[in-house]
Amino acid sequence: MKKATDSAATPAEKKIRSAERDMIALGIAIAAAILFVGTGGTLMPQIVKAWFFGGNQPDLLLANALLLNIALLIFGWRRYRDLHKEIRVRREAEERARRLAERDPLTGCLNRRSGPPALEALRTALADTDREIAVMMIDLDNFKQINDLNGHQLGDRVLTTIARRIEDTLPHDGVVARIGGDEFVCGVPFDHNARNAVDNLVAMIVRNTSAPIESNQMTVEATVSVGIAESGAKYAGGGTMNAEALIHRADIAMYHAKKRGRNRYYWFESQMEDELRFRNELESGIRRGIPAGEFVPYYEQQIDLATGKLTGFEMLARWESPRYGLVSPEIFIPIAEEIDLIGELSERLITQALEDAKGWDPALTLSVNISPIQLRDPWFAQKLLHLLLESGFPPSRLEIEITEGCLHENMGAVRSIVTSLKNQGISISLDDFGTGYSSLSQLRSLPIDRLKIDRSFISELAHQREGRALVEAMVSLGKGLSLPVTAEGVENSEVLGQLQGMGNLQGQGYHYGKPEDAAATRKRLASLDMLNKDNVTAITGQATSANDQRKAS
Ligand code: C2E
Ligand code: CA
Ligand code: CA
């Protein structure tokens, strides 16, 4: 019965009971010791006398009391010993539990819970000294990709290796914690007039962590982006900053490093916070704007340079933002890619563009730009074919533009997507050609239909002789590979003249006008008598393109 109540007791109750028992045992032991001193003091000489010199026998009652006393002393001693052991075991268990609770089981670093307090402790310890603490936020670049492409086992291996490399690089009084999947935060003390010591340290971390990591005959390279914030900083706002605030600032600076191309570090500066706020506003604007239909296709003419004939249009996305006005894709496409909305955005735009293009002369083609992120989606080809099927637009009139950068990412996957699109009759153009270092063997191994020379080379034509040699080299490369070539960014008649002298090229650019929305494009086509005669909307001239419908509603 007793046992049952004991086991039902809470740990706190058990602790109180065992403390009560220990108090009683201690009381008994003390009483026994006092008694032993009292009785033993008079009785022992009597016993010794009786044994060795045959004196009077000691009082039996007192002798028994002394024996009992000795038994109690032995009991007390043993209890003390057990207690001692119990405390040691409990302390060890507590220590183990504490270590488990504050350590990250994978890397052995401090974890998300214990890291910030450890930094705070370091910061307060330095408060009245000449030293300050630099807090560094270290984030792996492309860790998700490493995980996705190579599996979680290798991902774990990368994390443990990076953690060890960071620990090995930090000074002995540094603190390192893993506070997210692929995020580490560190704190190091430094002399406040030797900030460059921190620069050197962080540069070393960036360098050391990027060394190749080998596992099971696979080699991966993982780089890091780092943001740094210092405790005694004289930024706007001033005042003392606790560890949490420093981590926040280091995080903002880390984000800045990511934006500036990764594999680098930045010290926090207060304008970074404003940039981030603006970036977040844009992000929520994009999230709201997609379902609200604020993103619309614009169209840029594509011309046969020899004949001057219009051959088709390239669709270029625009954001008609109620807050910011007409926003360039250079601003919102990278954000949409980052927040994983590029697929949805692109599909909506393509749907609208297909609808618009159905109203054009059937000889005209439609080109759409596809982000490298979309090519990572194994269902991309199916999704695009589904859009074509739904709209009834012939695949042979559609071209997709992929940038050279795509080819470095995952050549195998890109090849299989591109091949299945091509099998359905869609054409593939290699966009921004000349900027992405694609090799000849890559060009030959992909079923590409066209090269589009990047506009940076074309604009050089007007000013530089070497520019001309480069463009000529690219044009003859196209000839050698039997690929037609488009020149982007034809801005004036002088450039046009030079290009016309290089062979049979297609071209596009401001020389032919800026990209226009669906309604203006229709108007242009109407004036050229190039609207689709079979399309009812073309004959009635009603504004029924997806974009116009949206505007009308
Ligand atoms: P891009 O594919 O190279 O598109 C051509 C860009 O050059 C367009 O900029 C166009 O307006 C601009 N341009 C055309 N002619 C000239 C010229 O004569 N001189 C100069 N200086 N520029 C000219 P835009 O519309 O701002 O688009 C920028 C980039 O955004 C595009 O570059 C493309 O990479 C991307 N983009 C646009 N729409 C989409 C889209 O729907 N999806 C994806 N993934 N990317 C898109
Ligand atoms: Ca393009
Ligand atoms: Ca381009």
Side-chain angles (χ1 to χ4, degrees), residues 53-117:
F53 310 107
N56 289 344
Q57 288 295 316
D59 183 333
L60 200 61
L61 197 69
L62 278 180
N64 282 341
L66 185 65
L67 279 178
L68 184 66
N69 224 281
I70 291 169
L72 279 176
L73 269 183
I74 293 171
F75 160 78
W77 162 247
R78 290 192 52 169
R79 179 70 197 140
Y80 167 78
R81 223 183 37 193
D82 290 351
L83 212 63
H84 201 69
K85 194 169 151 204
E86 208 177 299
I87 288 170
R88 202 190 61 224
V89 171
R90 197 184 299 163
R91 206 174 276 155
E92 280 169 6
E94 276 170 7
E95 176 65 16
R96 215 174 312 129
R98 195 177 57 78
R99 277 185 63 81
L100 278 178
E102 71 182 18
R103 292 279 157 181
D104 163 43
L106 180 68
T107 60
C109 298
L110 295 175
N111 60 23
R112 168 173 212 92
R113 197 139 43 98
S114 59

Side-chain angles (χ1 to χ4, degrees), residues 342-501:
I342 185 68
E344 188 186 335
L345 174 60
S346 175
E347 280 168 40
R348 280 172 171 265
L349 285 163
I350 293 174
T351 306
Q352 290 180 34
L354 292 174
E355 216 42 56
D356 291 338
K358 278 199 299 187
W360 306 341
D361 188 302
L364 295 173
T365 55
L366 169 70
S367 294
V368 296
N369 292 284
I370 299 300
S371 148
I373 311 280
Q374 289 173 280
L375 293 180
R376 285 187 207 151
D377 175 4
W379 297 104
F380 173 72
Q382 275 84 339
K383 286 178 182 168
L384 191 61
L385 293 171
H386 180 72
L387 295 184
L388 278 170
L389 208 66
E390 271 197 328
S391 71
F393 189 81
S396 59
R397 287 178 60 195
L398 183 68
E399 283 179 21
I400 65 164
E401 300 191 1
I402 60 174
T403 53
E404 272 194 289
C406 294
L407 308 185
H408 305 299
E409 284 212 350
N410 190 356
M411 192 61 179
V414 172
R415 191 186 295 121
S416 89
I417 288 179
V418 164
T419 308
S420 63
L421 289 176
K422 195 166 162 66
N423 288 340
Q424 302 293 325
I426 297 170
S427 308
I428 320 292
S429 303
L430 195 60
D431 206 359
D432 301 347
F433 182 65
T435 59
Y437 317 104
S438 48
S439 68
L440 282 179
S441 65
Q442 278 174 327
L443 288 183
R444 277 184 29 177
S445 76
L446 268 182
I448 295 171
D449 299 290
R450 173 176 293 280
L451 297 180
K452 296 189 71 176
I453 302 177
D454 190 70
R455 65 176 184 271
S456 57
F457 299 102
I458 305 300
S459 65
E460 291 288 291
L461 278 181
H463 334 284
Q464 289 194 358
R465 298 190 99 253
E466 309 88 71
R468 184 181 169 97
L470 261 180
V471 175
E472 277 173 342
M474 285 188 258
V475 169
S476 68
L477 186 67
K479 273 194 195 125
L481 293 165
S482 312
L483 294 176
V485 172
T486 296
E488 294 181 328
V490 181
E491 287 189 357
N492 52 49
S493 46
E494 192 205 326
V495 168
L496 173 64
Q498 290 202 41
L499 288 167
Q500 281 169 331

